[in-house]
């Protein structure tokens, strides 16, 4: 009897322990780590071949994998293999490049694969590159890859255009091959000593599964499927993008090479080295175009990161470049760098009022440049969060010199007025405004956006041009709408920024390269000598000869003035005390997988 009671008691205790186990486990389950922050402009979609904007590129770079990547902590930069096994092998003349891909990397699960695992192979990069050349995709990045000079690829595009037939993805070409499952080979028309920079553009050149593109068809912008650390969970256009950790992401562990004198980077390496990536479970990116609500959301702890502190609040948050004491007491962290970018306004060189290279049109553009008060813009619009830009060459890129001076970059209203008078831009009808030399009204029609910074610039430029007796009409539209109009050549003048995603100057020069008109070349500037310089620089190694050509290109653009270079931004990012490991990359767009959230410190959402 006693043995039976003991057995029953033991069974009861065991059942109670089993029943309690799930409850105990649930109690110790850590909360998901969610990175929350906001963009100041809307995304356009997530198909690498159709990317138009920085914000979409950031999302895409975390969903797809590139062949190579930038070391997260190394400065100024270091490129290392990502899905490639090693750095590429190149022939002595830089015309043949061979890359071997790591086996065993798989795409995220998707209905397009019919329930099967899908391995990343070399042919996925062949297909991805061909998509930039398919006329049906109207790829804004087409010219980036056309200038690489891959043998046979441009001819394949032209055949589709000339024959008015679909692009032939199955036709083999000499310059782009996958000799075996894991080997990718490029053969080029001319030397490309810096091809590695193209191969490290993880937002553009990445492995794309043909099955996915064909499965989703014209909905592909909303269905990115890659091999990267995150997957698209949901998307409310121009409102919220939510991504979750890819459960099938390969085994990757935190590793980096911070500079020896980078104490913070060394500390992060010591803290995270060997941790499996990504460190967070979910990323939520809101779209908040207005500065004030975006800033207040960060102050209230709703966002973990203030990604580019809005200029109107920069002097309060970081007076004289130092973190404000009240924010420092809260444990807020600051990251501040001079950006590898350039803000400019461009003139549509095909516009009948401001375009062309006749002496009076060149004089008009130069006069307006001389009448644009960049010092006031830096102070009033950017709140001293910028420095003067003298040319298209961005900081940290090859050929940049902070002592370089553009002869047309001074603020000199008197000289501007004299230039206008000399070339016949005078008030002919007595209404107080200048007219064109032929007597037609002179009206500058400027495209702008509805955000606070744009409004500040609009007011400043209205003041500057009024001082020259030039009428300015401002047409406001959303940023994606203006971008679409700019590519179509429908805007007279528009201001925007271009960030450099490589340490080389060549992508910056593409902004003025004739064959890139309608793509990166919004101004549609065409000059035979400039185009020849661009092509020569592509093939030359870095050195005095290439630098001399760059300086000549700068002189040409200063003379014709198709663009007015305004500023290079000083970017300040602030992060909450619970966001650990954030460091803004100078060229790469990836950082989500390398940051951690201390949920014990985090404010409840």
């Amino acid at each position: 009897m006693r043995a039976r009671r003991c057995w029953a008691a033991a069974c009861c205790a065991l059942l109670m322990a089993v029943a309690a186990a799930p409850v105990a486990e649930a109690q110790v389950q850590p909360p998901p780590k969610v990175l929350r922050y906001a963009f100041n402009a809307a995304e356009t979609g997530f198909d690498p071949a159709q990317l138009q904007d920085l914000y979409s590129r950031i999302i895409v770079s975390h969903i797809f994998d590139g062949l190579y990547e930038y070391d997260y902590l190394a400065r100024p930069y270091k490129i290392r293999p990502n899905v490639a096994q090693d750095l590429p092998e190149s022939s002595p003349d830089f015309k043949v490049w061979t890359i071997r891909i790591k086996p065993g990397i798989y795409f995220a699960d998707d209905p397009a694969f019919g329930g099967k695992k899908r391995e990343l192979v070399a042919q996925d990069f062949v297909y991805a590159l061909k998509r930039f050349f398919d006329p049906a995709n109207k790829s804004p990045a087409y010219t980036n890859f056309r200038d690489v000079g891959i043998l046979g690829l441009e001819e394949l595009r032209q055949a589709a255009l000339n024959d008015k037939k679909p692009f032939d993805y199955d036709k083999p070409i000499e310059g782009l091959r996958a000799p075996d499952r894991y080997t990718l080979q490029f053969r080029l028309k001319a030397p490309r000593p810096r091809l590695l920079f193209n191969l490290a553009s993880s937002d553009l050149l990445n492995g794309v599964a043909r099955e996915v593109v064909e499965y989703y068809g014209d909905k592909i912008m909303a269905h990115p499927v890659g091999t990267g650390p995150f997957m698209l969970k949901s998307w409310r256009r121009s409102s919220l993008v939510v991504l979750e950790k890819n459960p099938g992401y390969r085994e990757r562990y935190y590793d980096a090479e911070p500079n020896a004198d980078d104490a913070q980077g060394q500390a992060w390496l010591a803290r995270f080295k060997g941790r499996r990536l990504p460190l967070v479970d979910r990323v939520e990116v809101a779209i908040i175009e207005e500065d004030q609500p975006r800033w207040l959301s960060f102050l209230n702890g709703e966002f973990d990161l203030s990604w580019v502190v809005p200029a109107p609040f920069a002097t309060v948050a970081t007076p004289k470049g130092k973190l404000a004491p009240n924010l420092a007491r809260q444990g807020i962290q600051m990251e501040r760098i001079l950006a590898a970018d350039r803000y400019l306004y461009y003139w549509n060189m095909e516009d009948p009022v401001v375009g062309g290279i006749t002496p009076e049109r060149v004089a008009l553009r130069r006069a307006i440049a001389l009448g644009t008060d960049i010092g006031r813009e830096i102070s009033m619009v950017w709140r001293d969060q910028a420095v003067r830009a003298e040319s298209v060459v961005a900081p940290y890129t090859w050929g940049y010199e902070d002592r370089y001076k553009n002869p047309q970059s001074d603020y000199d209203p008197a000289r501007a007025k004299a230039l206008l008078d000399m070339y016949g831009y005078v008030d002919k009808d007595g209404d107080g405004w200048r007219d064109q030399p032929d007597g037609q009204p002179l009206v500058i029609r400027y495209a702008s956006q509805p955000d606070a910074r744009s409004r500040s610039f609009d007011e400043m430029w209205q003041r500057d041009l009024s001082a020259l007796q030039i009428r300015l009409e401002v047409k406001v539209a959303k940023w994606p709408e203006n971008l679409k109009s700019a590519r179509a050549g429908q805007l007279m003048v528009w201001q925007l920024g271009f960030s450099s995603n490589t340490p080389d100057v060549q992508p910056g020069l593409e902004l003025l390269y004739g064959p890139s008109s309608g793509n990166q070349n919004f101004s549609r500037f065409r000059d035979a000598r400039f185009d020849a310089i661009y092509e020569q620089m592509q093939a030359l190694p870095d050195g005095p000869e290439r630098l001399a050509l760059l300086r000549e290109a700068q002189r040409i653009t200063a003379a014709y003035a198709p663009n007015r270079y305004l500023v290079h931004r000083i970017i300040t990012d602030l992060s909450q005390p619970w966001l650990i490991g954030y460091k803004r990359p100078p060229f790469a767009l990836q950082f989500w997988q390398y940051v951690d959230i201390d949920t014990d410190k985090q404010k409840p959402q």
Side-chain angles (χ1 to χ4, degrees):
M1 212 38 202
R2 183 177 177 182
R4 192 178 300 130
R5 281 198 300 270
C6 290
W7 178 84
C11 287
C12 183
L14 179 61
L15 287 170
M16 290 177 65
V18 170
V23 176
E25 184 178 344
Q27 289 174 344
V28 299
Q29 188 72 21
K33 296 181 177 183
V34 183
L35 170 65
R36 297 180 176 93
Y37 73 115
F39 289 159
N40 62 343
E43 75 302 325
T44 54
F46 312 119
D47 175 20
Q50 300 182 65
L51 291 183
Q52 301 186 57
D53 61 280
L54 171 66
Y55 312 99
S56 301
R57 286 168 51 205
I58 292 170
I59 303 290
V60 162
S61 69
H62 291 90
I63 296 174
F64 292 87
D65 266 319
L67 291 161
Y68 298 93
E69 65 181 4
Y70 289 87
D71 186 293
Y72 180 56
L73 297 179
R75 295 297 182 271
Y77 70 90
K78 180 178 182 178
I79 295 176
R80 64 185 188 183
N82 184 24
V83 301
Q85 293 186 23
D86 298 292
L87 290 175
E89 300 170 5
S90 67
S91 60
D93 62 359
F94 299 109
K95 287 185 178 181
V96 180
W97 293 73
T98 304
I99 300 111
R100 290 175 178 81
I101 295 168
K102 297 172 184 174
I105 296 173
Y106 292 89
F107 284 91
D109 292 340
D110 190 86
F113 301 130
K116 299 177 182 178
K117 297 288 288 181
R118 170 62 157 81
E119 188 180 20
L120 176 72
V121 295
Q123 190 62 39
D124 295 320
F125 289 93
V126 173
Y127 175 70
L129 254 171
K130 286 183 174 180
R131 294 191 69 233
F132 292 102
F133 287 76
D134 185 345
N137 291 329
K138 299 178 181 177
S139 176
Y142 151 66
T143 54
N144 295 51
F145 294 105
R146 179 204 58 199
D147 295 343
V148 171
I150 298 171
L151 288 169
L153 199 46
E154 178 62 16
E155 289 76 7
L156 199 60
R157 173 185 171 87
Q158 291 305 318
L161 289 169
N162 295 337
D163 299 340
K164 295 181 172 55
K165 292 182 178 179
F167 187 86
D168 189 352
Y169 284 96
D170 296 314
K171 184 174 182 178
I173 59 172
E174 180 185 358
L176 183 60
R177 301 170 54 244
D180 60 50
R181 187 172 178 84
Y182 303 112
T183 303
L184 179 65
Q185 189 174 81
F186 299 91
R187 291 183 178 273
L188 312 178
K189 297 175 183 177
R192 289 292 180 265
R194 291 162 295 278
L195 183 67
L196 181 58
F197 294 148
N198 299 84
L199 303 178
S201 298
S202 61
D203 54 316
L204 294 176
L205 181 54
N206 36 53
V208 174
R210 184 170 181 172
E211 306 98 292
V212 173
V213 177
E214 293 178 348
Y215 184 85
Y216 290 106
D218 60 4
K219 304 293 191 299
I220 189 61
M221 285 284 269
H223 294 278
V225 179
T227 59
F230 294 94
M231 303 166 54
L232 182 65
K233 176 68 174 177
S234 63
W235 178 28
R236 296 204 307 268
R237 291 174 187 268
S238 303
S239 177
L240 181 67
V241 185
V242 177
L243 300 99
E244 289 188 344
K245 179 166 63 175
N246 176 3
Y249 188 55
R250 65 190 182 280
E251 286 193 33
R252 286 199 71 197
Y253 299 91
Y254 192 107
D255 197 12
E257 296 184 33
N259 297 5
D261 59 355
D262 179 2
Q264 183 66 81
Q266 293 288 346
W268 285 335
L269 179 62
R271 177 171 182 157
F272 295 128
K273 187 175 175 63
R275 289 266 303 272
R276 187 164 181 178
L277 300 177
L279 301 178
V280 297
D281 303 301
R282 182 179 172 103
V283 180
E284 298 177 0
V285 183
I287 314 301
I288 304 178
E289 295 179 340
E290 288 293 339
D291 291 336
Q292 187 177 45
R294 192 169 68 256
W295 174 240
L296 291 177
S297 295
F298 173 74
L299 291 182
N300 292 336
E302 297 168 35
F303 293 141
D304 309 307
L305 174 67
S306 177
W307 189 73
V308 187
V309 173
F313 305 100
T315 52
V316 176
T318 57
K320 298 182 179 179
K322 301 292 180 65
L323 186 63
N326 65 310
L327 297 178
R329 286 193 294 271
Q330 297 174 45
I332 301 293
Q333 306 159 88
M334 181 178 78
E335 172 82 3
R336 181 178 169 89
I337 67 168
L338 178 62
D341 69 7
R342 75 292 276 166
Y343 265 72
L344 57 91
Y345 60 73
Y346 76 85
W347 297 105
N348 183 345
M349 296 294 283
E350 296 176 353
D351 185 86
V353 175
V354 299
I357 58 172
T358 56
E360 71 277 6
R361 300 287 176 74
V362 173
L364 174 62
R365 295 192 297 270
R366 284 189 183 184
I368 293 177
L370 289 167
T372 300
D373 189 348
I374 304 300
R376 182 180 174 86
E377 179 185 351
I378 290 173
S379 174
M380 303 301 294
V381 178
W382 294 99
R383 308 299 174 92
D384 296 319
Q385 304 301 299
V387 299
R388 184 184 294 271
E390 299 289 342
S391 84
V392 73
V393 186
Y396 311 117
T397 63
W398 186 87
Y400 176 78
E401 291 183 1
D402 55 11
R403 66 177 183 272
Y404 172 81
K405 182 73 170 66
N406 182 339
Q408 305 299 328
S409 68
D410 294 330
Y411 174 55
D412 193 339
R415 189 170 147 212
K417 291 176 183 178
L419 199 56
L420 292 166
D421 292 342
M422 183 184 301
Y423 284 89
Y425 291 97
V426 297
D427 179 8
K428 297 179 185 295
D429 57 12
D431 65 354
W433 298 104
R434 293 180 186 270
D435 298 300
Q436 298 181 57
D438 63 1
Q440 295 294 314
L442 175 61
V443 181
I444 303 302
R445 294 181 172 85
Y446 171 68
S448 186
Q449 289 79 237
D451 61 277
R453 187 189 63 79
S454 295
R455 289 195 297 271
S456 295
F457 181 83
D458 299 346
E459 293 168 6
M460 188 208 78
W461 217 33
Q462 189 77 257
R463 168 186 168 276
D464 287 347
L465 267 61
S466 293
L468 300 179
Q469 296 176 270
I470 295 177
R471 276 174 289 208
L472 177 69
E473 291 182 358
V474 179
K475 181 181 178 182
V476 176
K478 293 282 190 178
W479 198 89
E481 296 170 24
N482 279 336
L483 180 63
K484 184 178 179 180
S485 298
R487 292 198 186 282
Q490 296 170 348
L491 305 180
M492 176 188 282
V493 56
W494 185 35
Q495 181 193 158
L496 72 166
F498 290 90
S499 298
S500 294
N501 65 347
T502 89
D504 191 43
V505 69
Q506 203 78 33
L509 295 180
E510 191 189 355
L511 303 181
L512 293 160
Y513 180 51
S516 294
S517 295
N519 286 286
Q520 294 300 92
N521 181 356
F522 288 176
S523 70
R524 298 171 180 257
F525 175 69
R526 290 177 174 86
D527 178 76
R529 178 55 188 157
F530 183 93
D531 292 348
I533 289 172
Y534 178 91
E535 290 159 10
Q536 285 178 266
M537 287 181 62
Q538 281 272 46
L540 285 173
D542 294 343
E545 184 180 358
R546 190 170 188 249
L547 185 60
L549 288 170
L550 173 59
R551 296 293 178 249
E552 184 182 351
Q554 289 174 297
R555 289 193 294 272
I556 290 171
T557 57
Y560 288 115
N563 296 340
R564 174 59 158 108
Y565 303 102
L566 302 170
V567 301
H568 306 299
R569 292 178 300 164
I570 297 171
I571 293 182
T572 302
D573 300 323
L574 299 184
S575 55
Q576 301 286 1
W578 55 81
L579 178 61
I580 314 299
Y582 174 73
K583 192 177 185 69
R584 175 176 281 269
F587 300 112
L589 301 174
Q590 294 183 329
F591 69 89
W592 299 349
Q593 63 264 47
Y594 302 112
V595 299
D596 198 10
I597 299 288
D598 186 337
T599 53
D600 292 333
K601 293 182 179 179
Q602 189 176 27
K603 288 186 179 181
Q605 296 295 316

